Amino acid sequence: MSYQFDFAALLPYWPEFVRGLWLTLQLSAMATVLGFIVGTLCAIGRADGPPAVKWAVAAYVEVIRNTPLLVQIFLVYFGIATLGIRIGANTAAVAALVVNVGAYTCEIVRAGLESVHKAQLEAADCLGLSRVQTYWHVVLRPAVERVYPALTSQYVLLMLASSITSQISAEELTAVANRVQSDTFRSFETYIVVGLLYLLLSFVVRIAFWLVGLGVFVRRRKLGTAL
Amino acid sequence: MQSFGLAHVEFLAWAALWTVGLSAIAFVGGGLLGFAVALLRVSSNPAARVAAIVYIQIVQGTPLLILLFLIYFGVAVIGFTGVPAILAAGAGLTIYASGFLAEIWRGCIQSVPKTQWEAAECLALTRWQRMTRVILPQALRIATPPTVGFLVQIVKNTSLASVVGFVELAQAGKLINNSIFEPFTIFVTVAVFYFALCFPLSTWSRSLERTLNVSRR
């Protein structure tokens, strides 16, 4: 093995890596928040909606979970263009990621909703809680609390999967890597650096979710256990 | 200009076979490697456990796309040039699958009740016998549904092999799109192919899970 590693060649490009890293974070954060809202609404529709809604949500979840993200990204990117609307690559990337992660969130939250015991609903009824109060305090929040670890893993995977949006030239970290390696011909070094950056990012995201969990789920923090 | 026709569907169908082939390579390779890592992960040797944890964290913490690029350019670095795309893609997917399967199987091995280990120890079985005769047969039953479920992930993720120049379903779609530019029709067809491959696996995984839960209840 006579290969000479040359990481110094990448040094002039560090502002680009930072920009890419920042866009990756932005894309993932937006997709996470919007995807959580879409997925939770779908889960509610799937659990308590009219039959047509249940059926539509089930079809959406199955179609998304059984096709690759890459193809979904192409469909959103080119599909919207076919309709005559011009959107940027970044917007298309977020849209595709939201559609994708919404389906996974729906499945996870649905499992949480199903885990709420019927006696809890009866107890809420006895306490005179309104329908909305019951749904918010007794069903939704404990359900999300229970599946929070699964959601965290899913959103870390989403952050990693956002690398696929480089294929429609969203200028995030992987796209930056592709450009830098073709400028410097230091492909192996570039991808080692970017791989390490993703690894770092996945730990940071995990810690961020843990902190958010501590802040949001007060009861869990005080009791020290899951419900 | 030519429009989307039967010839294109036929081309996609051939490419779908490559997707299946690549998935099989990734599953078999990833299964073997993943099994070894899972065993290390539950071994009694702390160094082996730490090594397995580090391996799993690295594989699960980097995107598959980066993993594929690293292997593609990495084999050139250690002196092999002109490695066929199927080997580079197969190796990348194997490593990816091994990281996730190892973690899935670790969970299954550890979910076998501790009393089973103790009973096996009382019967004076060696650690190897305990593993192969007592724990693994039980873990296998628990492991089947999530493993089939992960197969779906493997099939879907072979679509990323297109970045190292391997012509499978997604890459075939891109090639057709470059020549006739009807992205919507083409990628819907590609998605239908993927759905046809993945949906039976998902359904099978779910029904396995149901059967397992019934027998445990």
Side-chain angles (χ1 to χ4, degrees):
Chain A
M1 187 168 151
S2 55
Y3 188 79
Q4 292 291 316
F5 280 95
D6 181 12
F7 286 99
L10 303 178
L11 268 180
Y13 291 92
W14 73 265
E16 306 230 355
F17 282 117
V18 172
R19 256 202 301 280
L21 200 68
W22 179 233
L23 187 60
T24 289
L25 264 180
Q26 281 178 309
L27 289 179
S28 326
M30 275 194 275
T32 299
V33 172
L34 294 176
F36 177 71
I37 296 171
V38 169
T40 309
L41 290 178
C42 285
I44 293 172
R46 178 92 192 253
D48 297 309
V53 173
K54 280 186 188 174
W55 192 87
V57 171
Y60 159 65
V61 169
E62 284 306 320
V63 166
I64 295 301
R65 297 205 330 153
N66 287 303
T67 50
L69 176 59
L70 181 66
V71 175
Q72 291 161 13
I73 289 174
F74 282 144
L75 269 176
V76 169
Y77 188 54
F78 292 121
I80 292 178
T82 315
L83 295 176
I85 307 164
R86 290 192 60 84
I87 56 167
N90 290 354
T91 322
V94 172
L97 289 173
V98 167
V99 168
N100 179 269
V101 84
Y104 287 91
T105 305
C106 174
E107 272 303 276
I108 295 173
V109 173
R110 190 170 68 103
L113 292 179
E114 278 174 4
S115 76
V116 174
H117 206 274
K118 200 160 171 277
Q120 296 273 327
L121 297 179
E122 291 164 0
D125 212 20
C126 292
L127 290 171
L129 296 187
S130 73
R131 230 181 100 95
V132 176
Q133 282 175 321
T134 307
Y135 213 88
W136 179 250
H137 292 290
V138 182
V139 179
L140 200 53
R141 283 183 53 178
V144 172
E145 189 172 334
R146 224 167 266 153
V147 294
Y148 191 68
L151 285 175
T152 302
S153 313
Q154 192 60 52
Y155 296 142
V156 172
L157 286 179
L158 167 74
M159 188 276 290
L160 297 176
S162 73
S163 64
I164 302 175
T165 61
S166 62
Q167 296 295 306
I168 55 165
S169 64
E171 272 294 303
E172 45 68 75
L173 191 51
T174 305
V176 168
N178 294 346
R179 196 151 38 78
V180 169
Q181 67 94 8
S182 64
D183 275 5
T184 59
F185 297 105
R186 288 286 158 193
S187 323
F188 197 46
E189 288 91 333
T190 308
Y191 289 113
I192 288 178
V193 168
V194 170
L196 289 175
L197 286 176
Y198 271 110
L199 205 56
L200 185 75
L201 209 53
S202 69
F203 285 120
V204 171
V205 170
R206 249 173 231 287
I207 292 171
F209 269 104
W210 178 70
L211 289 174
V212 169
L214 279 187
V216 174
F217 303 119
V218 182
R219 185 165 39 188
R220 181 185 201 141
R221 186 177 69 222
K222 286 188 178 151
L223 291 177
T225 71
L227 275 171
Chain B
M1 204 159 90
Q2 205 184 354
S3 72
F4 192 71
L6 213 58
H8 295 119
V9 177
E10 197 186 329
F11 181 58
L12 286 178
W14 279 109
L17 278 184
W18 284 107
T19 290
V20 172
L22 188 57
S23 308
I25 293 174
F27 182 64
V28 173
L32 292 173
L33 189 56
F35 184 62
V37 177
L39 286 183
L40 285 182
R41 180 66 183 73
V42 297
S43 106
S44 53
N45 182 345
R49 275 206 305 273
V50 169
I53 291 174
V54 169
Y55 177 79
I56 292 170
Q57 287 298 329
I58 289 179
V59 173
Q60 294 201 354
T62 41
L64 174 58
L65 210 51
I66 300 294
L67 215 57
L68 284 167
F69 281 130
L70 272 175
I71 291 187
Y72 188 63
F73 293 110
V75 286
V77 162
I78 45 176
F80 297 100
T81 43
V83 171
I86 189 163
L87 282 187
L93 283 159
T94 292
I95 292 176
Y96 160 81
S98 71
F100 281 85
L101 285 174
E103 191 65 5
I104 294 173
W105 290 342
R106 173 198 64 88
C108 297
I109 292 173
Q110 288 184 340
S111 71
V112 174
K114 202 157 181 276
T115 45
Q116 294 286 327
W117 284 94
E118 292 164 359
E121 208 172 339
C122 291
L123 291 171
L125 298 182
T126 65
R127 191 176 160 84
W128 179 249
Q129 284 173 325
R130 265 179 273 161
M131 204 59 173
T132 53
R133 303 278 174 84
V134 181
I135 305 301
L136 288 181
Q138 299 183 66
L140 188 69
R141 274 170 48 80
I142 310 170
T144 320
T147 305
V148 175
F150 186 70
L151 248 174
V152 177
Q153 302 293 328
I154 293 181
V155 174
K156 287 192 294 178
N157 279 323
T158 55
S159 64
L160 297 183
S162 55
V163 296
V164 292
F166 183 69
V167 183
E168 37 64 68
L169 210 36
Q171 179 71 1
K174 272 193 263 179
L175 290 177
I176 299 176
N177 189 37
N178 288 345
S179 75
I180 62 172
F181 204 72
E182 285 180 33
F184 203 65
T185 327
I186 294 166
F187 287 114
V188 166
T189 316
V190 169
V192 167
F193 269 103
Y194 274 111
F195 189 80
L197 289 175
C198 294
F199 186 64
L201 288 173
S202 304
T203 316
W204 184 29
S205 165
R206 258 197 303 265
S207 76
L208 280 171
E209 210 166 323
R210 261 198 304 275
T211 337
L212 190 70
N213 280 341
V214 166
S215 62
R216 288 183 99 196
R217 221 176 271 148

